[in-house]
Amino acid sequence: MKPRHPDAAERSTALTAIWREVLRNEDLSENSDLFEYGGMSLHVLQIVGRIYDTLGIDVKPRHVFRHSSPLGLSDFLEKESEKGPRTRQSTRP
């Protein structure tokens, strides 16, 4: 999958949608903390996978643990993108 490099607003919106889907809670906002809403390690792994599938960005679980709101993670990713792309090669045929 080729990375899409969304802008900050699009990335934050996409991350919020992922949080809502994984936690099955449509009331979550971009400031909602994953762990305050019942998130666990399994949810972090699901989020990491969905971020890659949706945005083509290779996020490590530790990044989600450290930046546990959609906006916080989006801001982190923005800073990281200034250092260079965080994508991975697909092993899928």
Side-chain angles (χ1 to χ4, degrees):
M1 170 178 279
K2 186 176 179 182
R4 293 182 42 234
H5 303 292
D7 66 23
E10 182 183 6
R11 185 177 45 250
S12 182
T13 298
L15 292 174
T16 302
I18 291 169
W19 256 241
R20 289 174 177 167
E21 181 182 345
V22 169
L23 293 176
R24 296 181 179 160
N25 184 340
E26 290 299 317
D27 296 330
L28 298 177
S29 73
E30 66 180 8
N31 294 308
S32 297
D33 184 277
L34 174 69
F35 303 107
E36 289 178 8
Y37 285 88
M40 298 180 286
S41 297
L42 178 60
H43 295 119
V44 170
L45 297 176
Q46 291 172 339
I47 287 171
V48 166
R50 298 241 170 89
I51 291 171
Y52 184 74
D53 290 345
T54 303
L55 300 173
I57 301 171
D58 186 17
V59 175
K60 305 292 183 212
R62 70 177 177 263
H63 300 144
V64 179
F65 279 106
R66 290 181 188 151
H67 310 280
S68 56
S69 73
L71 183 59
L73 185 59
S74 181
D75 289 346
F76 167 76
L77 293 173
E78 180 71 22
K79 290 174 188 168
E80 287 294 297
S81 71
E82 294 170 1
K83 297 177 186 178
R86 298 191 62 87
T87 59
R88 64 181 174 201
Q89 294 281 333
S90 177
T91 58
R92 297 176 189 163

